[in-house]
Amino acid sequence: MKKLSVYLSGNMTPDSTHYYDWVSEFSRAFADSDRYTCTFSKQKASAKFSVEHDLARLSRSDIVVANLGISNQEHSIASVITEIYEAHRQGKIVLGFVSGNIRSTQASSPWVSEFLSHVFPTMQDVIDYLIHEDNLPV
């Protein structure tokens, strides 16, 4: 059975530390999985190069997991919104959750809420959902 690819989407600005913390934790949960492999953004030399690579990863993925959380209300999830819409446009399952203390107010936008397949309270809830074979989304 081919592993399903899970693209991890989240805010990386102005500091990518929070993003890399949660994607590392999420990826570790599936490190030994025979069902899933995780892929996520990797900063490149230029913003354009990063965006092109992120969109390529997203297009090759089967599922998108989007973190709607931010560390400060002044931060934007504009790139996450774009990735959620693009995943929906491509017919992918998009699972959302909030990591950290603050749910972005942008997460209430119809451009987010209408294109999410399901929103979970925590990252662990998403992991638990994917681990159980009867929840496999394909």
Side-chain angles (χ1 to χ4, degrees):
M1 174 169 139
K2 176 188 171 276
K3 285 186 176 187
L4 297 175
S5 176
V6 179
Y7 178 78
L8 305 176
S9 174
N11 178 41
M12 293 181 74
T13 56
D15 178 15
S16 60
T17 303
H18 179 69
Y19 175 77
Y20 287 118
D21 286 346
W22 79 262
V23 299
S24 295
E25 183 180 346
F26 195 99
S27 297
R28 274 193 304 274
F30 294 101
D32 297 325
S33 173
D34 59 353
R35 275 188 224 137
Y36 300 103
T37 185
C38 296
T39 185
F40 50 89
S41 182
K42 295 164 180 81
Q43 290 182 323
K44 304 290 183 213
S46 74
K48 180 179 171 77
F49 199 55
S50 291
V51 169
E52 289 171 352
H53 280 240
D54 289 349
L55 289 174
R57 279 186 190 88
L58 188 146
S59 73
R60 287 190 302 270
S61 70
D62 300 296
I63 301 166
V64 173
V65 173
N67 183 353
L68 307 173
I70 51 177
S71 57
N72 182 311
Q73 279 294 7
E74 295 177 7
H75 299 169
S76 168
I77 61 166
S79 60
V80 178
I81 295 169
T82 303
E83 290 175 339
I84 288 170
Y85 170 74
E86 187 61 25
H88 173 78
R89 193 183 67 74
Q90 294 177 23
K92 298 181 188 311
I93 292 166
V94 185
L95 306 174
F97 75 96
V98 175
S99 172
N101 299 335
I102 304 171
R103 182 180 192 267
S104 172
T105 56
Q106 292 174 302
S108 298
S109 164
W111 284 93
V112 175
S113 61
E114 293 302 312
F115 297 132
L116 290 168
S117 305
H118 190 76
V119 178
F120 294 87
T122 69
M123 179 177 68
Q124 188 60 51
D125 291 324
V126 178
I127 291 168
D128 292 345
Y129 173 81
L130 291 172
I131 285 174
H132 293 90
E133 188 170 344
D134 56 339
N135 289 331
L136 284 175
V138 288

